[in-house]
């Protein structure tokens, strides 16, 4: 499988410019950027939730051990 190199990126950019035109590309860029930001925030929230659950389990384990 071929790797995406600088030449490939330039070809993709030129084709996108021809297809969508210079007025639409900034809108697409903003849309992609905001989508990636929302995805990043959502996945960070999931990771934080997992960390919270692990901390609660550790606290419960320590509590049970101290009661014994």
């Amino acid at each position: 499988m071929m790797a995406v190199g600088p030449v490939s990126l330039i070809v993709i950019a030129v084709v996108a410019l021809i297809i969508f035109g210079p007025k639409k590309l900034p809108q697409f860029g903003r849309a992609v950027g905001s989508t990636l930001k929302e995805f990043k925030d959502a996945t960070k929230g999931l990771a934080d939730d997992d960390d919270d659950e692990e901390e609660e389990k550790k606290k419960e384990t320590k509590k049970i051990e101290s009661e014994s």
Side-chain angles (χ1 to χ4, degrees):
M1 181 174 257
M2 293 181 50
V4 178
V7 176
S8 300
L9 293 176
I10 291 171
V11 170
I12 291 170
V14 169
V15 170
L17 184 61
I18 291 170
I19 292 174
F20 299 114
K23 291 183 179 181
K24 291 286 185 180
L25 285 180
Q27 292 174 354
F28 285 128
R30 280 191 288 276
V32 169
S34 64
T35 302
L36 289 175
K37 182 179 178 186
E38 288 178 24
F39 180 75
K40 180 181 169 186
D41 292 342
T43 55
K44 182 180 178 192
L46 291 174
D48 290 344
D49 290 345
D50 290 342
D51 292 342
D52 293 341
E53 289 176 8
E54 289 177 18
E55 289 178 18
E56 288 178 18
K57 287 180 183 178
K58 287 180 183 179
K59 287 179 183 178
E60 288 177 11
T61 304
K62 287 181 182 179
K63 183 179 177 183
I64 292 171
E65 289 175 355
S66 65
E67 289 176 357
S68 298

